[in-house]
Amino acid sequence: MSQSNASNEITVRAENIGGIRTCEVTLDPGVTVLEGRNATGRTSLLTGLAGALGGSAPSLRSDTEKGCVELNIDGQTIKRNYERTQNGVQTSGQGLSERDDLIDLFVCLTENNPARRAIVQDRNLRDIIMRPVDTDAIQRHIEELQSERNQLGQRIRDIEEQLDRQPTLKSRRVELESELEELDQKIAELRDCLEGYDASPEEAEAVEEALQSLEERQQELTSVQNRIQTQQDTIAALKDEQSELQTEADSLDTSEDELTRIDTTLSELTTRERSLATTINDLSAIVDFNEDLVSGDDLTDITAEETSQSPVSQLDPMSESVRCWTCGSQVQRSDIADRLDELRNVVEEKRQERTDIQSRIEELRSRQQELREEIDRREEVSRRLDEVATEIERRARTLDSLKEERSDIRDRLAELEKYVEERESLQESELADQYQQLSELEYERGQLEEELSSIREELAELDRLDEERDQLQAQQQEVREELESQRTQIRDLEETAIEAFNEHMTELIQTLEYRNIARVWIERKEGAEFDSSHGGYRGGSATRFDLHVVRETDEGSGYEDTVANLSESEREVIGLVVALAGYLVHDVHEVVPLMLLDSLEAIDSERIAALVDYFSEFVPYLIVALLPEDAAALADDYSYVTADTLTS
């Protein structure tokens, strides 16, 4: 996203944050430079701004118990209040974003930023870039897609089993159509023959009508008996189903109270897990900072005239007194080292607690799903029981009606049979036989037409199922493609991140003119031999991002070097590019359109200017804290905020 996409000013007001008593700063779209010497509140403003965006809480002034940061952006006002308690600084108020991980990793690029520290401490860069990825959610979506795919596959198989009957039904339809054609021909010939008899029309008509009526009643009786049998069979089947459903309903004894308890427990555990993650990140940052303090790397800004120069301290550096960066009192290095051991133990305990909570959350989610499925099944069974009971009642009424109809038909048949018996002489004639034959042929024709109609209905239903199968197969293919996309999502993100880093690193090496570096690039490696306890995202992974540094001799030949041999300036630039890659890959600009840069003193002024210019192409609002001599090398069209604005 280019800075040209930002058009509104951002106003930041801070009170009692770090070294700031009170200040208000306006940030224009593009680059804003906080110009001033060290200890003038620039870093305090950046950490306060990061907190308002939704990141970790900043530190309060040592002489106050409360502070706040107010942010006006895109027509909305964000205010976060901070209060010192026995458990540390407590935060209230909603930040611009709830994604504190994105802000701490890829927006607030101060000295203790995890991406920059990862290069200095030679850690696995994958842990930094891929940390915001929620693999639990991806895995749950994969399981849902697998379940949907399996259900579609089962339905398709069921349909194909029914479609296997299609050839047989089509063959039978052809046979029936041929038989009906033959019967129609026989009936036509018989009717022609009956017309040639020399019998009184009245007698022939009377016999024909009587026999025809008798046959019709017989067919009607047969049809009613078939319908009665169908209703009886259906009622029996429904009662069997009703019995099975009732048995299943009696066995389903799922407690909705348990589901409610699980929902409540999951909410509590999720909140606790997030709190632990924040605590672990905060404590880890404190440990990292104090490790440098104990090792002596950062004594320049801390010890000053309070550093002990006694012979004892020279012989035993751990007895040397330094100023505590949190309370300002003089303490010995050994005391800090002891406190660090305690903090490391606390961090490890918090990590173990978080792991236990994550396991418990997974168990509860599994049980939650089981309970929901049982409750859904119980409701489905209850609904089906009502439907079956209603259907049994309806068919019972239909059965009673059919039995009454059968009784009426039998009475009518008895009358017709009596009428025919009284004309026994007429029955013995050839005419009567032929009429009887005609009646039988008509009956047979009716049976064949009924069977043909049934087969045509079945074939029409199979045609509909064939269309449904095509639709289901298309839907199944879409699910498979989505499933494959979800399975490769992590790898795609990794490869995109590496591509972004390598591309921007190559461009910056040329732009910043690091002549003795030919190339800096990341290689993705995976395998069980890697230790996943320190590399990975939300649960660990056996994948690593290996950083390679290739230098070039004066003769033009290349050789691979180690990160440890890089200059401080080179390491800082690489760390910043790691953060930029994460910013771009995770589309952070859609959540927070800002990036905060600080502690760039290790890089010379001209390269800082080139670096800021390069980053400004991708960040709508880029806020940079610089010393005056470094700020002088930047473009004049940037916005500048002097240190006296922050301390006034």
Side-chain angles (χ1 to χ4, degrees):
M1 178 178 181
S2 172
Q3 67 183 37
S4 62
N5 293 328
S7 59
N8 299 323
E9 292 181 345
I10 297 176
T11 303
V12 184
R13 188 179 69 83
E15 182 178 339
N16 295 331
I17 300 297
I20 297 174
R21 177 73 65 185
T22 180
C23 77
E24 182 171 321
V25 174
T26 298
L27 307 176
D28 294 320
V31 178
T32 298
V33 181
L34 306 181
E35 179 182 357
R37 294 293 174 187
N38 291 329
T40 55
R42 297 169 305 144
T43 301
S44 298
L45 178 63
L46 292 181
T47 56
L49 176 56
L53 294 174
S56 299
S59 60
L60 293 172
R61 284 181 62 91
S62 58
D63 60 349
T64 186
E65 299 299 316
K66 294 182 179 180
C68 69
V69 178
E70 185 174 300
L71 177 67
N72 292 310
I73 179 172
D74 290 338
Q76 61 177 322
T77 299
I78 307 296
K79 186 174 183 180
R80 303 203 86 179
N81 298 304
Y82 304 99
E83 182 176 0
R84 198 190 315 275
T85 67
Q86 294 181 348
N87 298 323
V89 177
Q90 298 296 315
T91 304
S92 61
Q94 186 70 36
L96 179 64
S97 170
E98 296 181 355
R99 294 299 305 272
D100 58 325
D101 52 349
L102 293 178
I103 295 167
D104 290 342
L105 287 169
F106 308 127
V107 174
C108 185
L109 307 187
T110 57
E111 181 181 8
N112 293 321
N113 174 263
R116 298 175 67 175
R117 299 295 301 172
I119 298 299
V120 174
Q121 298 171 357
D122 195 18
R123 292 183 177 176
N124 183 6
L125 298 181
R126 185 185 185 282
D127 178 40
I128 301 298
I129 296 178
M130 301 301 294
R131 189 179 298 173
V133 179
D134 189 351
T135 54
D136 291 339
I138 293 175
Q139 183 59 37
R140 288 194 298 273
H141 188 38
I142 288 175
E143 292 173 357
E144 292 171 358
L145 289 172
Q146 288 175 333
S147 177
E148 183 180 359
R149 178 199 60 190
N150 294 339
Q151 291 176 0
L152 290 171
Q154 183 58 50
R155 176 56 180 162
I156 290 172
R157 287 191 293 274
D158 292 342
I159 290 176
E160 288 177 342
E161 287 181 2
Q162 297 183 58
L163 290 177
D164 288 341
R165 301 171 50 245
Q166 204 169 36
T168 302
L169 290 174
K170 288 182 177 179
S171 176
R172 180 56 181 162
R173 181 183 61 185
V174 172
E175 293 176 359
L176 288 172
E177 290 173 345
S178 176
E179 291 178 14
L180 279 171
E181 186 177 353
E182 293 177 1
L183 274 177
D184 287 340
Q185 185 176 356
K186 290 181 179 180
I187 290 173
E189 293 174 353
L190 188 55
R191 288 186 182 278
D192 291 341
C193 182
L194 287 172
E195 290 177 359
Y197 276 96
D198 186 14
S200 66
E202 293 78 8
E203 288 181 340
E205 184 177 354
V207 171
E208 183 177 358
E209 289 179 356
L211 291 175
Q212 184 177 358
S213 179
L214 180 63
E215 187 60 34
E216 288 174 354
R217 298 289 83 75
Q218 288 175 342
Q219 292 179 6
E220 189 176 350
L221 178 61
T222 301
S223 176
V224 170
Q225 287 176 334
N226 290 338
R227 290 163 62 192
I228 289 174
Q229 185 62 45
T230 299
Q231 292 296 331
Q232 290 174 337
D233 293 343
T234 302
I235 290 174
L238 287 172
K239 288 183 177 180
D240 291 340
E241 182 182 359
Q242 186 181 48
S243 176
E244 294 174 359
L245 289 171
Q246 189 61 54
T247 301
E248 183 178 357
D250 295 338
S251 66
L252 293 172
D253 187 21
T254 302
S255 172
E256 295 187 0
D257 293 339
E258 181 182 358
L259 181 59
T260 302
R261 290 195 300 272
I262 289 177
D263 291 339
T264 302
T265 304
L266 275 174
S267 177
E268 295 172 352
L269 290 176
T270 302
T271 301
R272 177 59 180 162
E273 194 271 342
R274 291 175 180 168
S275 175
L276 285 172
T278 301
T279 301
I280 291 170
N281 288 337
D282 293 344
L283 291 178
S284 297
I286 293 173
V287 169
D288 290 342
F289 178 81
N290 283 277
E291 282 177 344
D292 292 340
L293 180 62
V294 172
S295 65
D297 292 343
D298 295 332
L299 283 179
T300 302
D301 296 332
I302 300 178
T303 57
E305 71 277 359
E306 290 84 355
T307 305
S308 174
Q309 298 297 330
S310 67
V312 174
S313 65
Q314 294 176 1
L315 293 173
D316 183 10
M318 294 305 292
S319 67
E320 181 180 3
S321 296
V322 297
R323 179 179 295 277
C324 177
W325 65 276
T326 57
C327 65
S329 61
Q330 292 293 121
V331 295
Q332 291 185 346
R333 285 194 184 193
S334 59
D335 293 339
I336 296 178
D338 293 340
R339 183 57 177 165
L340 275 176
D341 290 337
E342 296 176 6
L343 285 175
R344 292 189 189 96
N345 292 334
V346 171
V347 170
E348 188 59 33
E349 291 173 0
K350 296 296 183 183
R351 284 175 175 162
Q352 183 60 45
E353 182 181 354
R354 185 186 180 199
T355 300
D356 295 340
I357 288 176
Q358 289 174 333
S359 299
R360 179 58 177 159
I361 287 174
E362 188 63 28
E363 293 174 0
L364 288 175
R365 281 177 176 160
S366 177
R367 179 55 181 162
Q368 182 188 55
Q369 182 64 26
E370 292 177 2
L371 289 174
R372 286 175 177 169
E373 290 176 355
E374 290 179 4
I375 290 174
D376 291 343
R377 180 56 184 166
R378 183 181 61 191
E379 293 175 353
E380 181 182 351
V381 168
S382 177
R383 182 172 61 254
R384 181 56 184 161
L385 276 172
D386 292 339
E387 292 174 354
V388 169
T390 301
E391 183 66 11
I392 289 175
E393 292 178 1
R394 186 185 69 80
R395 289 186 177 273
R397 291 193 298 270
T398 301
L399 182 61
D400 292 339
S401 177
L402 287 173
K403 287 181 178 179
E404 291 179 2
E405 184 179 353
R406 181 180 61 181
S407 177
D408 293 341
I409 293 173
R410 284 174 175 171
D411 292 342
R412 179 59 180 153
L413 275 175
E415 294 176 1
L416 288 173
E417 288 172 353
K418 182 179 180 182
Y419 175 82
V420 171
E421 288 176 0
E422 291 175 352
R423 289 153 182 79
E424 184 176 356
S425 59
L426 187 58
Q427 282 186 332
E428 293 175 355
S429 69
E430 187 177 353
L431 180 63
D433 291 340
Q434 289 181 343
Y435 271 115
Q436 179 66 29
Q437 183 181 0
L438 178 61
S439 176
E440 292 174 356
L441 291 175
E442 292 283 2
Y443 174 76
E444 183 180 356
R445 188 182 189 284
Q447 293 291 98
L448 292 178
E449 283 184 335
E450 185 175 347
E451 182 182 356
L452 180 59
S453 175
S454 175
I455 287 177
R456 284 171 175 167
E457 290 177 0
E458 288 189 59
L459 286 172
E461 174 64 16
L462 290 179
D463 289 339
R464 187 196 65 77
L465 289 176
D466 196 12
E467 294 178 359
E468 180 184 350
R469 180 185 61 178
D470 293 340
Q471 296 174 356
L472 292 175
Q473 287 175 338
Q475 185 178 351
Q476 186 184 50
Q477 182 60 31
E478 292 177 0
V479 171
R480 285 172 176 166
E481 292 173 358
E482 175 65 14
L483 186 58
E484 181 64 23
S485 173
Q486 289 295 316
R487 284 172 172 166
T488 60
Q489 181 177 356
I490 302 301
R491 184 183 183 94
D492 292 343
L493 279 173
E494 291 174 348
E495 293 176 349
T496 302
I498 290 175
E499 181 180 355
F501 173 86
N502 292 341
E503 176 184 346
H504 293 299
M505 197 69 243
T506 299
E507 292 178 357
L508 275 174
I509 288 176
Q510 297 174 355
T511 301
L512 302 183
E513 297 183 352
Y514 284 110
R515 302 188 184 282
N516 62 337
I517 298 181
R519 185 187 180 197
V520 177
W521 58 289
I522 289 177
E523 179 184 11
R524 181 182 181 276
K525 288 186 177 180
E526 57 183 343
E529 69 270 14
F530 297 128
D531 180 8
S532 64
S533 62
H534 300 290
Y537 54 91
R538 299 197 184 185
S541 169
T543 305
R544 280 185 61 90
F545 286 1
D546 284 353
L547 183 65
H548 296 277
V549 179
V550 178
R551 293 191 182 275
E552 192 174 78
T553 64
D554 295 337
E555 292 75 19
S557 60
Y559 65 94
E560 184 160 353
D561 203 351
T562 63
V563 175
N565 291 333
L566 291 172
S567 68
E568 186 177 1
S569 170
E570 293 166 342
R571 289 198 299 268
E572 290 293 348
V573 170
I574 294 173
L576 291 172
V577 176
V578 170
L580 176 62
Y583 188 92
L584 298 176
V585 168
H586 295 291
D587 296 322
V588 180
H589 66 273
E590 297 180 356
V591 181
V592 177
L594 292 87
M595 181 178 287
L596 318 177
L597 298 182
D598 189 20
S599 302
L600 303 180
E601 290 81 3
I603 308 173
D604 60 84
S605 300
E606 292 183 358
R607 285 177 173 149
I608 289 177
L611 185 71
V612 170
D613 181 65
Y614 187 86
F615 271 51
S616 67
E617 297 179 8
F618 307 99
V619 184
Y621 295 87
L622 182 63
I623 297 88
V624 189
L626 294 177
L627 296 173
E629 54 269 28
D630 292 331
L634 269 63
D636 295 334
D637 57 351
Y638 294 161
S639 299
Y640 289 84
V641 177
T642 58
D644 55 359
T645 304
L646 308 181
T647 56
S648 60

